[in-house]
Amino acid sequence: MEIFVQLLINGVIAGGTYALAAVGYSMVYGALKFINFAHGSIAMVGAYIAFVLVTMADVPLVPAFLGSMLLTAGLGVMVERVAYRPLRRAPKLASLTTAIAVSFVLDAAVMIIMGADIRTFSLTGMRSYQIGPIYITPVQGAIILTSLVFMVGLYGLLTRTKLGKAIRAVADGISLAEVSGIDTNLIISAVFAIGSALAAASGALIGMDTNLQPTMGFIITVKAFAAVVLGGLGNVWGAVVGAFLIGIVENTGVWFIPPVWKDSIAYGILILALFLRPSGIFGKKEEAQVTVL
Amino acid sequence: MSAANASDRTILEVHQLVAGYGKSEVLHGVSLEVAAGEIVTMVGANGAGKSTLLRSIFGLTDIHGGVIKFKGTVITGLPPHAITAHGLALVPQERNVFPSLTVRENLEMGGFTVDRATLEERIERVFERFPRLRERQRQKAGTLSGGERQMLAIGRGLMTSPELLMLDEPSLGLAPKIVEAVFEQIRLIREGGTTVFLVEQNARRALAIADRAYVLELGRIRHQGSGQELLNDPEVQRAYLGG
Amino acid sequence: MELALVVHLLVVITIYGILAISLNLVVGATGLFNLGHAAFYGIGAYTSALLVKAGVPWLLAVLASMAMAGFVAFIIGIPTLRLVGDYLAVVTMGLGEITRAVFKNWISLTRGPMGLPGIPHASILGIEFDTADKYLILGIICLLITFVVAERILYSPFGRVLKGIREDEAAVQALGKNTYRYKMAVLVVGSAMAGLAGSLFAHYITFIDPSSFVMWLTFFIFLIIVLGGLGNNLGAVVVTVVFVALREGLRFVGLPLWLNPAALQQLIFGILLIIATIFVPRGLIPERKVVYE
Amino acid sequence: MKHRALALWIALLVVGALAVSFITPAPLAAEEPQVYKVGFISHLTGDAAVYGQSLKMGTELAVDVINEAGGINGVPVEVIYEDDRLSAADAQTAFLKLVETDKVPVILGSASSTISLSLCPKAQEKKVVQVSQVSTAPALKDCGPYFFSVMASDTAQGPEWVKVAEYLGVKEAAVMYINNDYGIGVKDTFVQAFEAAGGKLLIVQPFELGGKDFRTEVLKVKGTNPPVVFIVDHVAEASIVFKQAAELGLKTQWVTDVSIVSPEVPQLAGKEAVEGIMGLRAGSSQTPEYQAFREAFLKKFGKEPTIWADFAYDAMMLVAKAIEKGGYTADGIQKALFEVAETYVGPSGAKKFDEYGISQGSYEWVVVKDGEWVLYEKAPSATETPSATETAQ
């Protein structure tokens, strides 16, 4: 039982990092209806920016973290301008192609600049604390806390502010938003900025909890993609639920099944869930669109 | 209001518009005019290009040729939100509300460019026009009935206080009683000083309400005249009014 | 470039060409968003390699590998083909990864991550394809057969139904067609072709391990068919040639050592991809118009 | 649209033509080459790039040393680095490029045993010498006469671990291994030898390559309360395992394989997490050769030698010596390699080859002290030794 509590906490920690990446992914899907396969690579860049700020520019941890979110937001906006906007009216697969290409470019660029070495934040004094039967480190606490704070913040943004409502409006119908007088290009830029900033948060936290590698983005892309689909495409809260579900299932499942099947468990659950609910947990039937064309 | 003096107060002028999607051309040179204060209708069969025409005026298609002027200013090629800023509003045929936003949020989005105080005032006016919407203001638009949805769509279109309101088949799929109410509202809107450009498949009703009308066939204007003239035109009767 | 290298690259092109054509049937023509294609390729490779090592003639083994890939596709298709668009994408991606986990962990059969060495070259009736030159002839024959079969399918009434499913599945259903059966049929055929490619690969390289069947391969083939023009087999083959030539041709561009040439090659490849997609979002050879009845 | 497609076709043709133009001026094979070209194949991009790039650095350092000393009989050495992208097919493309276009008689690589295995039949067929720096799969000994490896086979590590277990006086232990060719190889030899020696394994726990979250795996091991955990892994994953084990309160004596004994691990996992961990080092860090290598590496790259850089250095050095002795032909190098390795001692130790061309390494026991791997001081008599944990502190 005690171990199970620890496994659950481990799942929540993993889920928190997935969730931060998944909401941005989901927002981009909502706005543009295509899978941004470069999202994980953007998270990776965010992790490296935070790393450079902390270890090379001696910026304290929290400002570095926020700075990385800001800079990565800019990167996300730029990527959308260069690689996705020209293809807005092309078949969706064309955007998917450039997304894959963007991840090639980002991964290679970071490898050229930073080298292939594994990096670490070398955070000192990161001992774990024992609370009852569970062990948790400050970074892991921060992961849970940060993901909660950002989720609540995002909820406030999307439901209370004009920008947030416009983001939801664009996701509901981009041409209707346009004819309502909303500058949808601006809103899409905002979506990429917010999504990329949250991805950077995810990447930086994963980097602080474990380590950094130029190829770390791919697994983030895959896990976030799974979370988004499991939750129901385009449904931001579904993505959050999906992310925590995947994190928890992976971590508790490994207790019973050899860990070499870890990813398979996650996929198995995903497949089962979609078999039962073909449009995700919170997805609506009509939103199950075909990205291909 | 007669067709003769319309040109003096023309607010919308479409000249030789050629437009479509990508390479495929749907409109092959459409010209029309709408004068301030009029109700102008456009009737035509399915696939004639009626929706494409409205979407083209709003910059949502690929325009290959022609000019669109609003109050003398060329608006061809502007992004849709800029066209809205000129005083045009479009109520599309389908997907005309934001289903996951509440009724109130839909109206707020309709008045996206309007300041807070004016926004509240206009929402209040829409609620006066459509009391049902006030009751359902916290409900998600996706849960509304067809009629309520259409009311919300029109209400959303009115949020910018447009000079010209363009409606794409507002009666589509509605029960006869609700169709009646919708057309009644259209008349009231015009009485309030807003010019209306109405695209309809329900030709009999649309022509009855119109000051002037056009018939669109395969991307070209076939007939034009006052609503009454077209209602009495045997050719139009045969083709669009079921004999 | 030396002839032997050209011959080798041409063999690789024939194998990837078959993969591209097969994925094109499934994704390009029918619009089934399949991200698990590499799994069928792997199933073909392992089936064929294991059978030939056990003494079965290659010709039989290749038929068996196609049958096996097709059969697995059939099993996988039963639950998944009800899903649409991106939901299908994530499920096929998951199944692809689960398949790879099987290759990796069924050690008694596949030797797992150690890989299967010493796979005999392909041979038909005593003619052994033991050099790259001879293998190229075999590869071209297989590519031609695949090409002709795929063209036949695409421009038959059956193929028109497939394209109809891609454009508007509900409309095709309204015409009284059982779209599920059509989708199943094309998935099985496409996967069997991938199985053929897998067999060719295994007996050419003579060594296979799970890392040859990763998701990146599916992405790579995806890029090829998008840039070739969806549903266009000639485009797929042409772009396969261009892709392989470009990706491997970059090895010959004298990049400075301090700039990390390998990563720079990836970077340049990614940028060229983005530019190409923006220039021709519908592919090099846009699809021929199909006349619907 | 049509002219756009045409424009792209033209652009592609231009790029293609450019690529070809780089290739065509391949000089005809002269009597005396201006430069001795040596091929190098490893994973320079992708998940495992960290190992390939590290080997590349070691090789670069060796090339510097050789060329600064005037090359081989006055002819400088040039290494052509090719990426195998951790894929058998791409590795063959790289191999053919090096052999057919650059005409190299000898190739260094790859890091991964599976890729080396996929290359070795081609190397035999084309009669090109393949010198792998760190591939250790036992199956490599069957490759043929043109294959060499400068690192001892996996089969040697398991028995060495048994010696550690005997020295520590433990009868029960846990094993954690990474689920790849290398991890399985070392794990198998150890499990066999340990059980034959009467040891009992509490748990044999695999984990996945490329993962970042091993908490559940660590908890499972913790659940068996092992006095000693033997772990075979790579730098990236091992440092996370140690960190998470410390975070989750797993207190045990770790004993690692050679892959983990690298300065990156204490740095990545955090000093506290790895304090007192024992490991096997291939070769020795105490030798003057290693110290000289370390200094040169620091000078050139501004950081501690990365994982396997010393093996890559030795592989290149041996090849250079073999060219000098046997001439710049595959057969010459193949024969000379056996001879020059007899006496060669480099930073990674003595490199004498056995009949299969595999070096017979020796292991040094090391332990982490203050964040650095240092020699493990064995007590004078094994029977009287205090527990290893105490020794480490």
Side-chain angles (χ1 to χ4, degrees):
Chain A
M1 187 61 216
E2 283 174 9
I3 280 177
F4 194 76
V5 174
Q6 179 74 48
L7 289 177
L8 209 61
I9 294 288
N10 294 348
V12 170
I13 295 163
T17 57
Y18 298 162
L20 283 172
V23 288
Y25 215 106
S26 179
M27 284 168 72
V28 169
Y29 186 89
L32 294 182
K33 307 284 182 277
F34 88 97
I35 315 171
N36 182 14
F37 268 118
H39 198 67
S41 292
I42 287 177
M44 176 275 297
V45 174
Y48 269 90
I49 292 176
F51 170 79
V52 168
L53 289 177
V54 170
T55 58
M56 298 181 183
D58 284 323
V59 179
L61 204 56
V62 173
F65 183 75
L66 297 174
S68 129
M69 287 178 69
L70 198 70
L71 290 170
T72 312
L75 173 74
V77 171
M78 210 177 76
V79 164
E80 192 269 328
R81 281 277 163 85
V82 173
Y84 305 147
R85 191 168 297 180
L87 296 168
R88 197 69 66 71
R89 289 164 101 164
K92 291 298 173 204
L93 265 189
S95 307
L96 192 73
T97 310
T98 50
I100 295 171
V102 165
S103 74
F104 279 161
V105 171
L106 292 179
D107 290 6
V110 169
M111 187 170 291
I112 290 168
I113 298 167
M114 300 297 297
D117 300 357
I118 304 157
R119 307 285 190 145
T120 170
F121 277 83
S122 314
L123 302 173
T124 46
M126 281 298 164
R127 298 198 29 235
S128 63
Y129 295 92
Q130 196 172 0
I131 308 162
I134 60 165
Y135 292 86
I136 192 161
T137 65
V139 170
Q140 292 160 1
I143 287 174
I144 297 174
L145 199 70
T146 315
S147 54
L148 283 179
V149 167
F150 281 135
M151 293 307 126
V152 172
L154 190 64
Y155 181 78
L157 177 86
L158 288 179
T159 55
R160 299 273 183 275
T161 68
K162 197 168 164 180
L163 172 66
K165 288 173 192 173
I167 288 173
R168 286 161 57 215
V170 168
D172 261 7
I174 193 161
S175 6
L176 185 63
E178 267 284 330
V179 302
S180 296
I182 298 172
D183 183 348
T184 50
N185 276 336
L186 205 67
I187 301 298
I188 287 168
S189 290
V191 165
F192 270 86
I194 296 168
S196 305
L198 292 174
S202 166
L205 287 169
I206 291 173
M208 288 175 198
D209 189 31
T210 58
N211 54 34
L212 297 90
Q213 262 179 293
T215 51
M216 67 191 273
F218 186 63
I219 193 82
I220 301 178
T221 296
V222 170
K223 292 286 160 72
F225 179 36
V228 167
V229 172
L230 182 60
L233 278 164
N235 184 318
V236 173
W237 313 118
V240 174
V241 173
F244 281 104
L245 264 178
I246 288 177
I248 290 169
V249 166
E250 267 178 3
N251 274 279
T252 49
V254 174
W255 190 260
F256 308 102
I257 300 168
V260 292
W261 299 99
K262 195 169 184 170
D263 287 342
S264 305
I265 298 169
Y267 288 123
I269 296 287
L270 185 71
I271 292 162
L272 190 70
L274 288 180
F275 186 56
L276 298 173
R277 290 193 59 89
S279 308
I281 300 173
F282 299 106
K284 290 185 213 83
K285 191 90 195 191
E286 76 236 40
E287 279 172 14
Q289 298 195 352
V290 183
T291 298
V292 175
L293 292 152
Chain B
M1 204 129 335
S2 77
N5 61 6
S7 57
D8 307 341
R9 295 180 293 114
T10 298
I11 58 169
L12 179 71
E13 192 185 338
V14 176
H15 185 72
Q16 287 300 324
L17 182 66
V18 181
Y21 302 97
K23 269 188 232 167
S24 68
E25 200 178 287
V26 180
L27 303 174
H28 315 287
V30 171
S31 298
L32 60 88
E33 286 180 359
V34 178
E38 277 188 311
I39 292 182
V40 174
T41 33
M42 167 79 64
V43 295
N46 233 344
K50 302 186 304 281
S51 294
T52 306
L53 174 63
L54 287 192
R55 292 174 59 82
S56 301
I57 294 172
F58 252 86
L60 292 166
T61 60
D62 297 310
I63 294 177
H64 305 307
V67 178
I68 305 160
K69 280 187 192 169
F70 185 69
K71 292 200 296 181
T73 317
V74 177
I75 56 167
T76 333
L78 289 182
H81 67 267
I83 290 170
T84 305
H86 275 89
L88 283 87
L90 172 66
V91 178
Q93 183 189 120
E94 45 190 13
R95 300 198 186 162
N96 50 15
V97 297
F98 301 111
S100 71
L101 270 61
T102 64
V103 167
R104 195 182 177 85
E105 285 170 340
N106 262 278
L107 296 176
E108 286 175 20
M109 286 302 111
F112 189 75
T113 48
V114 176
D115 67 85
R116 192 78 220 172
T118 322
L119 188 73
E120 287 304 319
E121 194 190 303
R122 286 190 188 160
I123 290 177
E124 193 52 36
R125 249 193 279 157
V126 170
F127 284 162
E128 276 163 24
R129 196 185 285 275
F130 303 111
R132 282 298 283 272
L133 294 183
R134 188 197 302 278
E135 291 166 30
R136 304 196 181 271
Q137 58 172 305
R138 304 212 177 282
Q139 208 170 310
K140 286 204 170 159
T143 64
L144 296 179
S145 71
E148 290 164 345
R149 208 185 250 244
Q150 196 59 50
M151 288 170 195
L152 177 59
I154 295 172
R156 190 205 52 78
L158 290 171
M159 285 301 294
T160 46
S161 262
E163 287 176 63
L164 172 62
L165 179 67
M166 307 203 290
L167 299 154
D168 193 355
E169 307 230 6
S171 73
L172 193 78
L174 298 181
K177 221 176 136 186
I178 299 169
V179 172
E180 197 65 38
V182 167
F183 276 100
E184 176 62 23
Q185 281 302 331
I186 293 171
R187 231 180 17 244
L188 288 173
I189 289 166
R190 191 263 296 271
E191 264 165 36
T194 304
T195 311
V196 175
F197 184 60
L198 173 69
V199 159
E200 260 294 348
Q201 245 193 315
N202 188 343
R204 195 179 295 276
R205 289 240 40 135
L207 292 175
I209 194 181
D211 299 311
R212 288 190 310 109
Y214 294 88
V215 177
L216 191 66
E217 246 179 57
L218 297 172
R220 289 192 172 84
I221 300 281
R222 275 280 169 254
H223 306 275
Q224 55 179 313
S226 75
Q228 210 53 48
E229 277 167 26
L230 289 186
L231 265 179
N232 298 331
D233 186 317
E235 216 179 304
V236 174
Q237 277 184 347
R238 197 174 51 248
Y240 300 101
L241 304 172
Chain C
M1 211 182 295
E2 300 301 318
L3 195 61
L5 185 55
V6 174
V7 170
H8 164 73
L9 288 180
L10 286 175
V11 175
V12 171
I13 285 167
T14 58
I15 294 170
Y16 284 174
I18 294 170
L19 271 180
I21 290 172
S22 60
L23 190 65
N24 208 5
L25 274 181
V26 180
V27 177
T30 322
L32 300 177
F33 200 171
N34 177 5
L35 284 185
H37 205 58
F40 302 114
Y41 177 56
I43 288 168
Y46 271 103
T47 308
S48 184
L50 289 168
L51 285 178
V52 173
K53 284 190 89 161
V56 176
W58 179 75
L59 205 54
L60 280 180
V62 72
L63 292 174
S65 67
M66 290 173 72
M68 187 59 134
F71 176 71
V72 175
F74 176 74
I75 300 292
I76 285 176
I78 293 171
T80 54
L81 286 178
R82 290 175 210 289
L83 300 168
V84 292
D86 302 328
Y87 293 96
L88 181 64
V90 78
V91 166
T92 48
M93 177 178 94
L95 287 167
E97 286 302 283
I98 291 175
T99 309
R100 205 166 68 84
V102 172
F103 296 153
K104 217 170 155 179
N105 294 305
W106 193 349
I107 291 174
S108 57
L109 184 72
T110 64
R111 285 182 30 95
M114 279 98 68
L116 270 180
I119 301 167
H121 285 290
S123 63
I124 299 175
L125 307 172
I127 308 164
E128 201 172 337
F129 297 91
D130 53 356
T131 65
D133 304 16
K134 288 187 201 161
Y135 215 93
L136 181 58
I137 296 168
L138 181 67
I140 289 174
I141 292 170
C142 292
L143 177 65
L144 277 178
I145 293 172
T146 314
F147 185 84
V148 170
V149 170
E151 286 287 296
R152 280 280 170 110
I153 291 174
L154 279 184
Y155 296 101
S156 67
F158 180 82
R160 280 196 286 276
V161 175
L162 296 182
K163 292 194 180 185
I165 291 173
R166 182 186 72 187
E167 302 298 331
D168 189 348
E169 186 170 352
V172 177
Q173 276 168 339
L175 290 173
K177 307 270 187 205
N178 183 347
T179 56
Y180 185 77
R181 282 200 179 167
Y182 281 85
K183 290 196 284 185
M184 181 63 95
V186 76
L187 182 70
V188 169
V189 170
S191 303
M193 287 176 173
L196 167 67
S199 173
L200 283 176
F201 173 76
H203 298 281
Y204 175 63
I205 301 286
T206 70
F207 174 90
I208 52 172
D209 75 296
S211 69
S212 292
F213 312 108
V214 287
M215 212 188 301
W216 272 119
L217 181 71
T218 306
F219 282 165
F220 188 71
I221 304 297
F222 235 96
L223 299 177
I224 288 176
I225 61 169
V226 172
L227 278 178
L230 282 177
N232 187 304
N233 290 322
L234 188 64
V237 175
V238 170
V239 175
T240 309
V241 176
V242 173
F243 254 49
V244 173
L246 201 64
R247 192 149 175 258
E248 305 304 343
L250 282 170
R251 288 184 192 276
F252 293 91
V253 182
L255 300 167
L257 201 55
W258 58 271
L259 255 175
N260 195 344
L264 201 57
Q265 285 164 18
Q266 188 187 331
L267 185 90
I268 295 171
F269 186 68
I271 291 174
L272 288 176
L273 256 180
I274 296 173
I275 295 172
T277 315
I278 289 174
F279 257 87
V280 284
R282 275 159 224 281
L284 276 182
I285 311 177
E287 191 171 26
R288 275 185 265 166
K289 275 264 177 269
V290 179
V291 184
Y292 293 95
E293 294 130 310
Chain D
M1 236 23 166
K2 205 138 214 168
H3 63 274
R4 273 187 158 196
L6 194 69
L8 192 78
W9 277 108
I10 292 168
L12 285 171
L13 279 177
V14 170
V15 171
L18 267 176
V20 171
S21 72
F22 273 98
I23 307 150
T24 30
L28 293 165
E31 286 297 301
E32 268 310 305
Q34 301 295 298
V35 57
Y36 290 133
K37 288 183 182 172
V38 172
F40 174 103
I41 300 174
S42 223
H43 354 300
L44 297 173
T45 57
D47 279 335
V50 56
Y51 310 107
Q53 294 284 356
S54 183
L55 292 181
K56 178 165 166 258
M57 282 191 275
T59 312
E60 281 180 50
L61 184 62
V63 170
D64 280 5
V65 170
I66 295 161
N67 289 344
E68 268 161 34
I72 302 165
N73 298 327
V75 180
V77 171
E78 186 197 355
V79 176
I80 298 152
Y81 299 93
E82 293 295 335
D83 187 5
D84 63 28
R85 306 186 186 108
L86 203 56
S87 135
D90 286 349
Q92 293 214 354
T93 307
F95 175 83
L96 282 168
K97 189 249 172 190
L98 288 169
V99 172
E100 301 293 340
T101 309
D102 301 315
K103 311 274 184 216
V104 300
V106 53
I107 278 171
L108 302 164
S110 160
S112 142
S113 292
T114 42
I115 300 292
S116 291
L117 262 175
S118 77
L119 281 176
C120 80
K122 294 283 158 185
Q124 304 302 318
E125 184 191 318
K126 296 268 176 191
K127 299 201 177 355
V128 172
V129 178
Q130 178 188 3
V131 183
S132 169
Q133 303 96 335
V134 294
S135 293
T136 52
L140 287 166
K141 78 172 173 30
D142 302 325
C143 268
Y146 291 94
F147 180 82
F148 294 86
S149 175
V150 299
M151 187 182 263
S153 167
D154 292 343
T155 46
Q157 279 194 70
E160 189 74 16
W161 267 359
V162 175
K163 283 185 207 159
V164 176
E166 277 166 4
Y167 175 77
L168 296 176
V170 288
K171 289 271 163 236
E172 292 185 334
V175 174
M176 292 185 79
Y177 69 96
I178 191 135
N179 188 32
N180 69 0
D181 55 329
Y182 174 68
I184 294 171
V186 174
K187 182 255 312 180
D188 283 347
T189 55
F190 172 68
V191 168
Q192 214 178 0
F194 187 63
E195 285 179 341
K200 185 180 166 225
L201 288 167
L202 299 166
I203 186 169
V204 179
Q205 180 69 25
F207 47 90
E208 274 303 286
L209 191 72
K212 288 220 180 291
D213 184 359
F214 305 113
R215 296 187 182 91
T216 306
E217 290 87 335
V218 166
L219 279 177
K220 278 184 105 164
V221 172
K222 190 188 171 200
T224 66
N225 260 325
V228 175
V229 181
F230 289 92
I231 178 167
V232 47
D233 199 350
H234 297 301
V235 168
E237 292 80 12
S239 52
I240 299 176
V241 170
F242 292 143
K243 185 165 180 281
Q244 294 180 339
E247 288 167 8
L248 292 167
L250 169 59
K251 292 186 182 70
T252 184
Q253 173 62 55
W254 292 94
V255 180
T256 79
D257 70 304
V258 295
S259 290
I260 300 175
V261 179
S262 149
E264 288 108 309
V265 170
Q267 206 184 316
L268 290 170
K271 266 190 191 175
E272 300 102 73
V274 292
E275 194 64 22
I277 287 181
M278 283 180 72
L280 302 181
R281 181 197 287 280
S284 168
S285 58
Q286 308 306 309
T287 59
E289 288 86 3
Y290 187 84
Q291 291 306 325
F293 165 77
R294 178 172 169 265
E295 251 166 62
F297 195 97
L298 268 168
K299 199 168 150 228
K300 182 168 167 69
F301 298 106
K303 57 182 174 188
E304 288 283 329
T306 44
I307 183 95
W308 307 142
D310 45 347
F311 283 84
Y313 178 92
D314 283 342
M316 182 64 233
M317 280 303 189
L318 279 172
V319 165
K321 286 185 190 304
I323 294 172
E324 190 172 14
K325 194 173 177 83
Y328 187 59
T329 63
D331 286 316
I333 294 169
Q334 192 264 346
K335 274 194 198 72
L337 265 173
F338 282 103
E339 294 168 37
V340 296
E342 284 293 323
T343 52
Y344 178 85
V345 178
S348 70
K351 298 283 94 163
K352 187 177 183 307
F353 291 117
D354 66 6
E355 58 196 298
Y356 305 111
I358 314 273
S359 279
Q360 301 304 294
S362 62
Y363 298 107
E364 175 182 88
W365 295 12
V366 289
V367 63
V368 177
K369 219 169 195 173
D370 293 326
E372 277 187 48
W373 291 100
V374 297
L375 203 61
Y376 182 79
E377 305 278 351
K378 282 192 215 179
S381 159
T383 44
E384 289 169 23
T385 31
S387 91
T389 338
E390 282 164 32
T391 323
Q393 276 150 6

